[in-house]
Amino acid sequence: MEEASAPQFHCLDGTLYDFFSGYNDLKNKKIRFVGEANQRIKEDFLRILRYFRFYGRIAERPDDHDAKTLEAIKENAKGLAGISGERIWTELKKILVGKYANQLIHLMYELTVNDYIE
């Protein structure tokens, strides 16, 4: 995961200022948290499910996850217990229609995410 510094800006002349390397991540089909994953997840636990949703939309392989990201997800999965079922279901539906849904759901079980979503 790359160190965060500032957001990206798109100027009226089309110039893209990308301070987080987000453009390169998209070109390389990588899903990353801006800054430190553990901190970002604690700011909003729904980001755990959003990680899987975006992974299923962008990634080229079902198993190209960053180990530190998965560790942060596992450590913070219990935070999903405080998220409403409606918000969780909204994200789950999008995960289920994305690529690698089967693999991602299995991974969510391995990381105990399933223990905290209803």
Side-chain angles (χ1 to χ4, degrees):
M1 310 259 305
E2 300 204 16
E3 191 171 305
S5 58
Q8 92 179 13
F9 297 97
H10 204 146
C11 288
L12 295 175
D13 66 2
T15 303
L16 176 67
Y17 297 94
D18 182 9
F19 301 102
F20 295 119
S21 299
Y23 183 72
N24 285 333
D25 286 342
L26 285 173
K27 283 192 331 188
N28 295 319
K29 308 218 182 248
K30 297 286 183 190
I31 305 301
R32 300 177 199 253
F33 287 94
V34 173
E36 205 273 310
N38 204 20
Q39 176 186 346
R40 298 311 255 180
I41 290 169
K42 286 178 180 176
E43 293 170 358
D44 181 0
F45 292 104
L46 201 56
R47 287 181 175 152
I48 291 171
L49 297 181
R50 290 182 182 135
Y51 168 83
F52 292 108
R53 172 168 52 110
F54 292 131
Y55 191 94
R57 292 182 72 188
I58 295 171
E60 288 189 321
R61 296 187 3 227
D63 59 351
D64 192 23
H65 304 276
D66 176 73
K68 287 184 180 183
T69 297
L70 296 183
E71 182 180 318
I73 288 171
K74 186 170 186 163
E75 288 176 13
N76 290 289
K78 63 184 169 277
L80 286 167
I83 304 293
S84 76
E86 180 181 356
R87 292 181 73 204
I88 288 172
W89 178 235
T90 297
E91 293 299 326
L92 278 176
K93 287 188 291 187
K94 294 174 184 177
I95 293 167
L96 292 172
V97 298
K99 297 185 300 187
Y100 320 122
N102 187 40
Q103 294 92 333
L104 293 175
I105 295 297
H106 278 90
L107 180 57
M108 290 167 65
Y109 270 84
E110 288 175 28
L111 300 173
T112 69
V113 171
N114 62 296
D115 291 348
Y116 305 102
I117 57 178
E118 297 181 11

